[in-house]
Amino acid sequence: MEKRAYDIFSKSNREVMIRVIPGHFATRHSHVNYCVDMTKVKSDLTSAKLAARLFADGFSSTPVDTIITLDRMKMVGAFLAEYLSTTHINSGVNIGVISPEISNDKMLLRDNFLSYVKNKNVLLLTASATTGKDANSVVEGIRYYGGMPVGVATVFGSNFDCGVPVLKLFGLDNVPDYSSFAPTDCPLCRSGVKVDAVVNSYGYSKII
């Protein structure tokens, strides 16, 4: 499967890249025809810092008190908080970085995290936002807990609306034929194409 993989580099900085694998993949919400591997951005110090810089430049005029991270993006979130708090409109702000629980597709905020969201400007940082379900759910959750959602930053995302600005480092223009389907309406399944792997925020597991 990995023999089909190829790298896509950010036009803003070629040190920031994702790896895509064409095929048939099952995610929590959908079936997709590409696996988008963002391990390097999430796990590599240099790549994480550079991705955080691109996000910081995109939200340079946005007040941010807290960054909510999903999909194991906390290292990028920490660098993003540092850049925003030292170089932009948030200069001097002690920006919080938290990773709340997601239960039944809803954000669950424990009492010890409430002060990071209530009456705060909150930015969502996630690795992938293809269906937009998780992003919309978290934006709704931020409002439920008394916060003000100010934006969504994602490494790879499709075109969706969640009522706040969305910044994508990579999108459908980078993978033009990327498609996402409800599991019950997947044309690959109907054509008898076997699922190559199960994909989540930790990576992919091949199905033998």
Side-chain angles (χ1 to χ4, degrees):
M1 186 177 78
E2 287 82 356
K3 292 180 180 179
R4 292 175 261 160
Y6 60 93
D7 297 335
I8 297 176
F9 301 91
S10 168
K11 294 177 182 178
S12 300
N13 190 318
R14 286 185 58 84
E15 294 294 323
V16 180
M17 53 81 69
I18 57 175
R19 174 161 291 182
V20 295
I21 308 170
H24 183 192
F25 303 93
T27 74
R28 184 158 56 97
H29 292 305
S30 61
H31 283 201
V32 295
N33 62 340
Y34 280 91
C35 170
V36 182
D37 182 2
M38 290 162 278
T39 302
K40 192 173 180 66
V41 170
K42 296 179 184 181
S43 308
D44 183 87
L45 177 69
T46 300
S47 294
K49 290 180 74 173
L50 291 171
R53 172 67 75 182
L54 295 179
F55 285 131
D57 290 343
F59 286 101
S60 61
S61 60
T62 302
V64 177
D65 300 301
T66 298
I67 299 169
I68 285 180
T69 67
L70 303 181
D71 299 339
R72 301 190 305 112
M73 287 285 286
K74 201 159 189 178
M75 180 160 69
V76 179
F79 288 127
L80 175 55
E82 181 180 24
Y83 287 137
L84 289 175
S85 67
T86 57
T87 60
H88 296 297
I89 191 175
N90 301 288
S91 181
V93 176
N94 186 23
I95 298 174
V97 181
I98 64 173
S99 297
E101 298 167 66
I102 302 294
S103 178
N104 296 321
D105 295 330
K106 299 293 183 182
M107 184 176 78
L108 176 61
L109 206 61
R110 301 291 180 176
D111 292 355
N112 48 303
F113 281 139
L114 288 175
S115 62
Y116 287 93
V117 173
K118 188 174 183 180
N119 298 321
K120 303 292 186 180
N121 297 303
V122 184
L123 175 66
L124 170 61
L125 173 64
T126 182
S128 178
T130 52
T131 66
K133 285 186 177 180
D134 284 339
N136 272 286
S137 178
V138 173
V139 166
E140 178 184 320
I142 292 168
R143 293 194 177 105
Y144 173 81
Y145 287 107
M148 289 78 71
V150 296
V152 174
T154 185
V155 178
F156 177 76
S158 62
N159 300 320
F160 64 91
D161 179 28
C162 57
V164 296
V166 177
L167 173 60
K168 299 170 287 190
L169 299 188
F170 301 90
L172 298 183
D173 55 328
N174 301 109
V175 192
D177 55 340
Y178 180 94
S179 297
S180 175
F181 313 98
T184 55
D185 193 35
C186 175
L188 295 171
C189 289
R190 288 201 300 264
S191 299
V193 179
K194 71 181 289 287
V195 173
D196 291 302
V198 175
V199 180
N200 64 16
S201 64
Y202 291 93
Y204 60 89
S205 298
K206 289 185 285 187
I207 296 177
I208 306 301

